[in-house]
Amino acid sequence: MKTRDKIIVASIELFNENGERNITTNHIAAHLGISPGNLYYHFRNKEDIINAIYSEYADDLINQFKGLSDAQNPLDSILLYMDIVFQLISKFRFFYSNLPVLLSKNPALKKRYSEIQKEIIKKVSSMLQSLNDAEILSIKDDELDDLTCLLRITTTFWLSYLQTQLDDNPKIDDASLYEGLLKIFALLSPYVTDKAREDFETARDQYKVLKQEALDQQVA
């Protein structure tokens, strides 16, 4: 692995474990056993590293979204979307834990983030419309934008919410992420049609099982 890539991987690890605000470029260099000068050869500062990390996140997101074919069962499509988003939140959880601060400090990052979010909103709205067209959900035309917004708020700020509810050093684990996925089911549930209710509940029950398995692993 090239030094630049090692810096990115190490930074993600350290940011996730300790919080981005608590990690400096010197910490990252020391973690890798390289000189600060070597790190600065690849990145001018921590903001440059964060920009590179977000580019990796955005690339992952866009590439995985390409797998959400319009030919798929609409319910499978939204479930796959949720899996993709929460897997990436897990991988880049430091970003979501401190999102407003990171964006306020970094105009270039905020611009890139806004561009990506516009594409995500279009995708989510399209998936909800597909669920509506397939009579899996029953959404009024004037509710579509609001429901799209609520889904994005829940996924984007789930980790921030957890941090306000738990102790001083909350542990973000698989159980926490599955709980976030179940909140999406709760948001969609009032819109589920009678004909789709059984399949919807079966899918929700699968995530309840996964959450419980994750909790059991914590105890074991």
Side-chain angles (χ1 to χ4, degrees), residues 191-204:
Y191 300 93
V192 176
T193 62
D194 290 341
K195 80 168 192 174
R197 175 60 63 179
E198 183 176 354
D199 287 342
F200 180 86
E201 294 299 340
T202 297
R204 175 152 59 178

Side-chain angles (χ1 to χ4, degrees), residues 1 4-14 53 56:
M1 185 184 295
R4 185 181 189 279
D5 296 329
K6 289 180 180 178
I7 293 170
I8 291 175
V9 170
S11 298
I12 293 172
E13 178 184 343
L14 292 172
I53 291 173
E56 181 176 316

Side-chain angles (χ1 to χ4, degrees), residues 94-108:
F94 81 91
F95 187 78
Y96 285 90
S97 296
N98 198 31
L99 181 59
V101 174
L102 285 174
L103 295 181
S104 67
K105 294 191 303 183
N106 192 330

Side-chain angles (χ1 to χ4, degrees), residues 12-23:
I12 293 172
E13 178 184 343
L14 292 172
F15 292 161
N16 283 342
E17 289 181 357
N18 303 285
E20 172 270 334
R21 70 184 69 185
N22 298 317
I23 296 298

Side-chain angles (χ1 to χ4, degrees), residues 78-114:
I78 195 73
L79 293 176
L80 181 55
Y81 160 78
M82 290 192 295
D83 276 343
I84 289 170
V85 170
F86 275 93
Q87 284 172 13
L88 290 174
I89 289 175
S90 177
K91 181 178 179 181
F92 302 97
R93 57 187 178 274
F94 81 91
F95 187 78
Y96 285 90
S97 296
N98 198 31
L99 181 59
V101 174
L102 285 174
L103 295 181
S104 67
K105 294 191 303 183
N106 192 330
L109 178 64
K110 185 174 183 179
K111 182 175 184 296
R112 176 67 169 149
Y113 176 83
S114 297

Side-chain angles (χ1 to χ4, degrees), residues 11-41:
S11 298
I12 293 172
E13 178 184 343
L14 292 172
F15 292 161
N16 283 342
E17 289 181 357
N18 303 285
E20 172 270 334
R21 70 184 69 185
N22 298 317
I23 296 298
T24 67
T25 51
N26 285 340
H27 289 127
I28 298 167
H31 180 78
L32 289 170
I34 63 176
S35 68
N38 194 349
L39 184 146
Y40 291 133
Y41 175 79

Side-chain angles (χ1 to χ4, degrees), residues 64-65 67-84 123-124 126-128 130-131 136 207:
Q64 293 195 58
F65 268 14
L68 297 177
S69 169
D70 292 336
Q72 287 179 305
N73 177 295
L75 182 56
D76 290 342
S77 182
I78 195 73
L79 293 176
L80 181 55
Y81 160 78
M82 290 192 295
D83 276 343
I84 289 170
K123 189 65 179 180
V124 174
S126 175
M127 286 189 295
L128 289 176
S130 295
L131 289 165
I136 293 171
Y207 283 103

